[in-house]
Amino acid sequence: MNVTEAVNSRRSIRQFLDKPVDRATLEQILKTAQRSPSGGNTQPWSAVIVGGDALKDITAKIKEKTKTAPMGENMEYAIYPKDLDGRYEEQRRAVGRDMFESIGLAREDSAGRVAQMAKNWDSFGAPVQLFTYTRKYMGPPQWSDMGMWLQTVMLLLREAGLDSCAQEIWAMYGTYMRELLGIDDDHIFFCGMAIGYRDPDAPINNFAVPRTPLDQAIEIRGL
């Protein structure tokens, strides 16, 4: 698989197969991903990889937390800007609508939609979670570096036949996630990322996710 194929086949997978992920393969992917670019070679990303009983324990505890704080608790950053508007907000709403429609959930089916979103806490059936964090004093450039690292990991996963779903939803319980992962107060929790093998037949893994036309996002000058 070349880079273009990896980019085109990568998508957020929300239903994984019950199939284990080889540790040696994952370690090689993460080792290669350390080549990701970062300003001044700061490499500001840190992560905890969790599977097996350790992941089951985190899953059970975060589910209990959602019972007492369903809208989140002690978030350490805003997942979306409060003033998100224009095509950004339209795209956010559209992908949610199309996702729910792909599995037959009507707009008025609030309970069904809540149940679907709750599958995040089970990592959509994936056997591995990658939880990312960084130092609190890091600024937007370093968060950008962290994103480049995550993208590199996702593309290398595709090369190996694996899939992923980046999940900022875990940040709804940022300080609690740090507690569960043993991350000290000098750091800030960013996101989770489910890792495994996609169910190729699941409708939720196959609905169209359009991208903004190039001429609406990019301006080319002098060429």
Side-chain angles (χ1 to χ4, degrees), residues 3 5 29 49-50 53 66 78 81 88 91 120-121 123 133-134 145 152 156 158 161 171 181 188 191 194 219:
V3 177
E5 291 169 334
I29 287 169
I49 316 298
V50 186
D53 289 340
T66 65
Y88 312 109
Q91 289 160 181
N120 274 278
W121 312 126
S123 304
Y133 63 99
T134 191
D145 294 340
T152 301
L156 289 168
R158 286 302 305 126
L181 295 168
I188 182 170
C191 69
E219 180 181 354

Side-chain angles (χ1 to χ4, degrees), residues 70-190:
M71 302 306 293
E73 181 181 83
N74 297 326
M75 292 178 63
E76 298 186 292
Y77 72 91
I79 295 177
Y80 297 107
K82 64 178 182 179
D83 298 323
L84 192 68
D85 62 4
R87 71 172 176 87
Y88 312 109
E89 177 65 3
E90 291 169 7
Q91 289 160 181
R92 187 186 73 84
R93 289 180 178 274
V95 75
R97 180 194 65 234
D98 293 346
M99 178 187 72
F100 289 129
E101 287 182 353
S102 75
I103 53 176
L105 288 176
R107 183 175 182 179
E108 60 273 14
D109 187 357
S110 298
R113 290 183 174 217
V114 169
Q116 174 59 40
M117 293 305 293
K119 292 181 180 181
N120 274 278
W121 312 126
D122 289 304
S123 304
F124 301 113
V128 175
Q129 264 286 348
L130 183 155
F131 293 113
T132 306
Y133 63 99
T134 191
R135 294 293 293 270
K136 282 185 175 177
Y137 61 64
M138 295 297 182
Q142 288 75 48
W143 280 67
S144 174
D145 294 340
M146 195 160 41
M148 288 192 284
W149 174 73
L150 285 167
Q151 173 76 338
T152 301
V153 172
M154 286 189 276
L155 295 180
L156 289 168
L157 287 168
R158 286 302 305 126
E159 182 185 56
L162 286 153
D163 295 285
S164 62
C165 182
Q167 298 172 278
E168 289 173 317
I169 195 171
W170 295 89
M172 289 175 59
Y173 304 93
T175 59
Y176 188 53
M177 285 305 301
R178 287 197 290 105
E179 178 185 332
L180 293 178
L181 295 168
I183 300 169
D184 63 43
D185 290 340
D186 292 333
H187 293 83
I188 182 170
F189 178 84
F190 178 27

Side-chain angles (χ1 to χ4, degrees), residues 7-18:
V7 171
N8 285 332
S9 63
R10 188 219 63 82
R11 64 178 292 144
S12 294
I13 295 302
R14 295 183 176 87
Q15 188 168 323
F16 290 84
L17 297 174
D18 183 15

